[in-house]
Amino acid sequence: MTRRNEPVEALKAIYKRALMIRHAEKTLQVLFADGKVPGFLHLSIGQEAVASSISEWLREGDTVSSNHRGHGHTLAKGVDLEGFFAEILGRATGICGGRGGSMHVADLRLGMLGANGIVGAGLPITTGSALALKIKGQGDIAVVYFGDGALAEGLVHECLNIAKLWSLPILFVCENNGWSEFSPTHKQMAVKLADLAQAFGIGYLAADGNDIVAVHEAAGEAIGRVRRETIPFILECRTTRIRGHYEGDKQDYRPDGEAEEMAGRDPLAIAVQRLTELGVEVGWISDTQAQVEAENARALDAAMGAPMPDPSSLLDDVYTPEALSHG
């Protein structure tokens, strides 16, 4: 992905990317309700501005690791929409042959190291990737997305420590939506992420994760430092989890009035406002919305028409041919 020199052009690209993610997530929401998506589904509706803005600064050699709420991260890195839908629907044409599903979408050709169903598990994967990138010495960086619910996990602290000790080129991105599954974050973490950054001597920035301008500017500064200085950096984006922890979550733990407050912080609505303020014509916005909707429909149709995996391939990539021959 190439960074655009003109700020307005960059923000237009970010908006289109965020819109694609929103349409894909809303589509999956319907498919899941209709029983067409196997397993659990964790949607990133309300958090689209984060990965969309950060990805505008990334390049081909950079790597990304995700978490259970990783659809937006995956699509923002450039993963094919048709292959993405096919994977989540368990089809043979999926990016991982229908084997990964919602929480394990990966495309190593694009540096997308995958989502993960284990809280915080993307951090050690990214730490290893960052070490490899540093050894290669081509200026590429590793990015990891994690939620505030991961902050109390020991491996988060271990990876921050190693990243600082070894001066690894990692951007740690915390999407802080205020909830650790069903509990407010302040009830499961004694300190703030900024305190951890200070304790480990790692640079830190915070941004409004629902504002594409704020995230784009903060990410540009953070990623610039990581590349130039080969150091770790933490970017905390305060954002909104509009849906529940998973599809089917009743969300009866949310306080009264929070739903209305979240609706007022929709990142796509804020993006349209920012673009309009910068002089982008309404016609471009409506044309882009129609284009993204059409692309989403085409990708979904192709994925729905794709075949299911052949049962004879069940053990492919699980055991080596040698192991099977001795089994």
Side-chain angles (χ1 to χ4, degrees):
M1 208 163 288
T2 303
R3 184 175 70 86
R4 295 159 178 81
N5 293 323
E6 293 294 331
V8 174
E9 292 304 310
L11 294 177
K12 288 167 71 174
I14 291 168
Y15 171 69
K16 183 177 181 180
R17 197 177 295 129
L19 192 62
M20 173 186 64
I21 295 169
R22 173 66 62 87
H23 274 287
E25 293 285 62
K26 296 288 285 186
T27 297
L28 291 176
Q29 180 184 345
V30 174
L31 291 173
F32 184 83
D34 290 342
K36 296 178 180 177
V37 175
F40 280 98
L41 191 69
H42 305 77
L43 299 178
S44 61
I45 295 174
Q47 301 184 180
E48 298 92 345
V50 179
S52 297
S53 300
I54 289 171
S55 292
E56 188 63 21
W57 297 98
L58 300 184
R59 58 196 198 191
E60 186 176 350
D62 297 331
T63 64
V64 168
S65 294
S66 184
N67 59 9
H68 59 282
R69 202 176 308 284
H71 301 158
H73 312 146
T74 301
L75 293 172
K77 190 60 170 72
V79 169
D80 173 67
L81 186 59
E82 180 183 329
F84 168 81
F85 276 139
E87 180 60 34
I88 294 181
L89 290 168
R91 305 306 171 100
T93 57
I95 297 167
C96 304
R99 295 169 177 272
S102 173
M103 286 194 284
H104 299 282
V105 180
D107 192 338
L108 302 187
R109 298 167 300 178
L110 298 175
M112 182 61 205
L113 305 184
N116 206 298
I118 301 173
V119 176
L123 278 87
I125 294 172
T126 298
T127 302
S129 176
L131 177 59
L133 294 175
K134 180 177 181 178
I135 292 171
K136 290 174 66 176
Q138 296 178 0
D140 296 321
I141 71 170
V143 178
V144 59
Y145 296 96
F146 59 99
D148 43 303
L151 293 178
E153 296 288 334
L155 56 80
V156 173
H157 303 246
E158 294 171 15
C159 290
L160 291 174
N161 184 54
I162 291 175
K164 177 63 177 180
L165 285 174
W166 294 353
S167 193
L168 299 180
I170 304 178
L171 178 66
F172 294 97
V173 182
C174 178
E175 293 177 299
N176 188 340
N177 59 39
W179 289 97
S180 174
E181 292 190 338
F182 319 113
S183 303
T185 302
H186 67 83
K187 290 189 176 182
Q188 62 94 36
M189 186 63 192
V191 299
K192 305 292 185 183
L193 181 53
D195 300 324
L196 289 182
Q198 183 177 12
F200 287 106
I202 297 176
Y204 168 90
L205 280 176
D208 181 348
N210 288 20
D211 185 339
I212 62 172
V213 173
V215 181
H216 183 246
E217 291 178 352
E221 180 178 345
I223 290 174
R225 288 198 58 188
V226 175
R227 288 201 200 280
R228 289 192 307 270
E229 304 173 39
T230 315
I231 58 171
F233 202 94
I234 297 172
L235 176 60
E236 182 173 14
C237 298
R238 298 186 179 93
T239 184
T240 306
R241 191 192 80 195
I242 291 179
R243 302 294 296 174
H245 172 59
Y246 59 90
E247 284 303 286
D249 177 6
K250 296 180 180 179
Q251 302 193 74
D252 51 7
Y253 47 83
R254 288 191 186 272
D256 293 340
E258 185 172 2
E260 292 75 13
E261 179 186 351
M262 290 189 298
R265 299 190 64 241
D266 187 325
L268 292 184
I270 293 173
V272 169
Q273 178 184 341
R274 295 288 181 261
L275 290 171
T276 303
E277 291 169 351
L278 291 169
V280 176
E281 295 181 357
V282 174
W284 180 89
I285 294 173
S286 59
D287 287 348
T288 299
Q289 291 171 344
Q291 179 185 352
V292 169
E293 185 173 352
E295 290 172 353
N296 184 85
R298 284 195 296 269
L300 177 61
D301 286 344
M304 291 291 289
M308 300 298 289
D310 186 339
S312 67
S313 68
L314 181 63
L315 296 182
D316 289 357
D317 304 320
V318 177
Y319 299 103
T320 65
E322 291 78 10
L324 287 174
S325 65
H326 290 86

